[in-house]
Amino acid sequence: MQSEIIIGIDLGTTNSEVAIVRDGRPEVLAEAGEAILPSVVGIDHQGRLLVGQPARNQLALAPERTIRSIKRRMGQEVVISLGELKFTPQEVSAVILRTLRERAERVLGLPLKKAVITVPAFFNDAQRQATREAGALAGLEVVRILSEPTAAILTYDPHPRDQERLLVYDLGGGTFDVSLARVEGGVVEIQSSHGDVQLGGDDFDQLLLDFVCDGFAAEHGVDLRRSAAARARVLRAVEQAKRRLSDFAVAVVEEEFIAERDGRPLNLVMEIKRVEYEQLIRPLLARTLGCVDRALADAGITARQVDKVILVGGATRTPLVRKLLEERLGRPVHGEIEPDLAVAMGAAVQGGLLAGHNVGPILIDITPHSIGINALGRLGAEASPYSFSPIIPRNTPLPVSRSEIYTTTSDQQEAARITIFQGEDPDCRNNTVVGDFLIEGLAALPAGNQVLVKFELDASGILTVTAVERATGLSKQVVISSAIERFRTTQRSDAVDRLEAIFATMNDPGTTVAPGEDSATLRQAVESAKALHARAATLIAQASAENAAELRGLLLELESAVLNRQEAEIRSIQGELEDLVFYLEDV
Ligand code: AMP
């Protein structure tokens, strides 16, 4: 019998990938030669779902119907609007996960039900729960949530000649993690981990966006950030310029007709030098090096004791990252495995291990946060109810179970509410709230009734709480209230139905064609649309305000149809635009 396949998914801020273990080796699955799925979801102007590159293509044209970097919102109770439709962050992530699951099913020709999904090491409990929830909505049982840097380590040799200490520096689109691991005799032991869930390549884009928009405003007196469409176009252009700056000393940002002033179109043309860009991002990179220092201190080793430095995440292609890291650690960094694919491959290795294959090292992972509760204690010289009492300290190997005894403070106390925090600050108020739990139905006893509270963190870093009243031995009801928990019990089946209906729109006739599959007639339509677009754009400046507005509207629609490769749509808008162009050229 063929054993079960557990797919590995890197659910990235910018890009996502799916991998499996085949013939004992991890392999990222590609379709039409494309392994990377941009983590972008959108709804096109006909209400159909777009995922990946087609959604990315419409980002600049229809930012109100498109969402990127959803990973940054995971675990938050926010509503994401895509046109008329409303989603939770986990629903948007579910769309990406389901697209990857279906890709893997097509490539392998098998139904797939189980996955390992990676998250930044520094994701907290709510963010991990949200990721697991997204998996469930995508029809997947998430058998393990795995930290990204840990996944990357699983792709390296688990049997080095001597014990090795690895440092993984993982800088993706939205998050930064650093982990230290000891590898010996087929066992990978994570020793410490640090990071910042709000720091990544997206922030570099943001700095460049401001740099370019400030320059444009100084020259033309127009702030491009005020128009959602112009802002989205500049953002896309600076992201591409940023990538070019990894290879070249200078990059030019160029966008035609990005704005207008006094009825005249304005073009954006700006040169960015690598040295200027490096000045912008230096403070952010200094923050990452601060995390590296803390991870080294936690593992109790010096920079000199690190044997190998591994880079993970697209943003580590930035030359300054490598340079600063080599200066700090005094050794060259490794890049044998593609930084964009290492995490998905590691997730597949973990999936293979969980499915019972001998494909990689035994993994001992850790919790990067301390988890505990608020208690009466001292904060500096003051007595305070906000003193943080950690129950599981950070860097404890997973899975782990720890308990503490608490006592009631009043006679006949029937219930107690305790808040769980995650973080390192002695003052709870500076840590992250994981949830509340309520111990109910206590026996009618005098103050001092003892309750044993047990925290269990599973291998995915997800918390379960139980409480036992010592006098009666009874296990008491514990309710963790968090946004995700409420979502799970009340809305999951609704969400599944809604997603099912939205996915059905993808299979409508006229849906996008994958890149590289354009038919001859479509190519022809696109070419003539581009020629007409150029002609029409030159007429905006002379047209009356009303005609100019109509022209701009039609040009945007045409761009969208071209980007989405909708042949019938292109031809119909082209017809309308032609009429207007002929009329304007005549007057
Ligand atoms: P990841 O989340 O690992 O896919 O990383 C995506 C981030 O890497 C995005 O911010 C990309 O803009 C960035 N990135 C990708 N390629 C490059 C490159 N060649 N130079 C600099 N940044 C890059």
Side-chain angles (χ1 to χ4, degrees), residues 71-107:
K71 187 169 174 179
R72 290 189 150 189
R73 319 303 292 274
M74 291 295 272
Q76 296 176 6
E77 212 168 344
V78 289
V79 173
I80 310 293
S81 297
L82 294 180
E84 305 285 296
L85 301 172
K86 308 254 181 282
F87 296 89
T88 61
Q90 47 275 45
E91 286 175 317
V92 176
S93 288
V95 168
I96 297 166
L97 291 172
R98 178 166 161 167
T99 305
L100 291 170
R101 189 200 85 201
E102 290 179 351
R103 168 187 285 182
E105 288 178 338
R106 280 192 298 274
V107 173

Side-chain angles (χ1 to χ4, degrees), residues 10 12-17 36 56 68 71 148 170-175 200-205 239-240 242-247 277 312-319 339-341 343:
D10 172 6
T13 308
T14 323
N15 296 309
S16 299
E17 299 86 28
I36 288 175
R56 192 166 194 264
R68 66 198 279 273
K71 187 169 174 179
E148 288 158 9
D170 179 357
L171 189 61
T175 56
D202 285 0
D203 299 291
F204 300 178
D205 301 347
E239 199 266 338
Q240 283 162 0
K242 174 186 77 173
R243 289 172 187 245
R244 285 197 296 281
L245 286 170
S246 290
D247 297 318
Y277 169 59
V312 181
T316 59
R317 295 185 193 272
T318 311
D340 310 307
L341 305 181
V343 170

Side-chain angles (χ1 to χ4, degrees), residues 466-484:
T466 49
V468 178
E469 186 178 41
R470 296 194 86 195
T472 58
L474 287 181
S475 196
K476 296 298 168 194
Q477 187 186 2
V478 170
V479 183
I480 298 185
S481 50
S482 75
I484 306 305

Side-chain angles (χ1 to χ4, degrees), residues 374 413 415-419 435-440 479-481:
N374 59 316
Q413 189 173 329
R417 178 171 292 282
I418 297 177
T419 309
D436 285 323
F437 68 89
L438 187 65
I439 308 164
E440 287 180 305
V479 183
I480 298 185
S481 50

Side-chain angles (χ1 to χ4, degrees), residues 214-539:
D214 288 347
F216 191 86
E219 195 182 337
H220 299 288
V222 175
D223 187 348
L224 296 173
R225 285 160 291 205
R226 285 170 178 263
S227 145
R231 187 180 181 285
R233 279 176 66 189
V234 179
L235 195 59
R236 187 178 168 132
V238 295
E239 199 266 338
Q240 283 162 0
K242 174 186 77 173
R243 289 172 187 245
R244 285 197 296 281
L245 286 170
S246 290
D247 297 318
F248 303 101
V250 179
V252 179
V253 176
E254 212 167 349
E255 286 289 312
E256 285 193 334
F257 309 129
I258 188 88
E260 61 167 36
R261 200 180 55 183
D262 308 328
R264 301 190 65 79
L266 296 174
N267 297 332
L268 165 66
V269 184
M270 195 176 294
E271 194 181 89
I272 306 171
K273 296 189 185 67
R274 188 193 277 170
V275 281
E276 291 170 326
Y277 169 59
E278 291 182 341
Q279 277 315 104
L280 294 176
I281 62 170
R282 249 173 215 278
L284 295 184
L285 295 183
R287 262 165 66 192
T288 69
L289 293 178
C291 292
V292 168
D293 288 344
R294 289 191 63 186
L296 286 168
D298 273 359
I301 61 170
T302 63
R304 301 221 148 272
Q305 290 172 289
V306 174
D307 297 300
K308 223 179 219 175
V309 183
I310 299 169
L311 295 183
V312 181
T316 59
R317 295 185 193 272
T318 311
L320 186 62
V321 167
R322 184 179 282 254
K323 181 165 168 277
L324 293 179
L325 207 52
E326 288 183 344
E327 275 171 18
R328 178 65 63 104
L329 297 169
R331 64 181 55 253
V333 302
H334 278 258
E336 295 106 70
I337 298 193
E338 285 268 328
D340 310 307
L341 305 181
V343 170
M345 286 162 72
V349 170
Q350 182 66 47
L353 285 166
L354 291 170
H357 305 292
N358 182 19
V359 287
I362 294 161
L363 175 66
I364 303 170
D365 211 344
I366 54 164
T367 166
H369 305 277
S370 301
I371 302 190
I373 64 162
N374 59 316
L376 204 54
R378 301 203 81 76
L379 275 181
E382 310 269 307
S384 165
Y386 298 112
S387 165
F388 181 50
S389 150
I391 294 180
I392 300 178
R394 77 166 188 270
N395 296 335
T396 304
L398 296 176
V400 57
S401 161
R402 296 270 166 92
S403 50
E404 285 290 332
I405 291 173
Y406 297 91
T407 50
T408 55
T409 50
S410 46
D411 293 344
Q412 328 295 322
Q413 189 173 329
E414 287 180 0
R417 178 171 292 282
I418 297 177
T419 309
I420 307 164
F421 292 88
Q422 187 164 292
E424 312 309 325
D425 202 292
D427 184 339
C428 294
R429 291 167 294 185
N430 298 327
N431 293 328
T432 308
V433 175
V434 174
D436 285 323
F437 68 89
L438 187 65
I439 308 164
E440 287 180 305
L442 297 176
L445 290 172
N449 183 13
Q450 292 189 335
V451 177
L452 183 103
V453 175
K454 187 157 96 179
F455 277 18
E456 288 172 281
L457 272 180
D458 68 9
S460 296
I462 289 179
L463 181 69
T464 309
V465 180
T466 49
V468 178
E469 186 178 41
R470 296 194 86 195
T472 58
L474 287 181
S475 196
K476 296 298 168 194
Q477 187 186 2
V478 170
V479 183
I480 298 185
S481 50
S482 75
I484 306 305
E485 201 68 28
R486 281 201 299 279
F487 178 90
R488 178 179 305 155
T489 47
T490 59
Q491 298 163 7
R492 179 179 300 169
S493 64
D494 287 359
V496 167
D497 292 348
R498 249 157 53 78
L499 289 182
E500 198 58 54
I502 289 164
F503 261 91
T505 66
M506 275 185 104
N507 303 320
D508 264 11
T511 325
T512 56
V513 177
E517 289 176 25
D518 290 356
S519 65
T521 56
L522 175 58
R523 276 203 304 276
Q524 207 178 31
V526 167
E527 282 317 306
S528 71
K530 282 184 178 165
L532 180 66
H533 186 286
R535 220 166 104 202
T538 60
L539 296 172

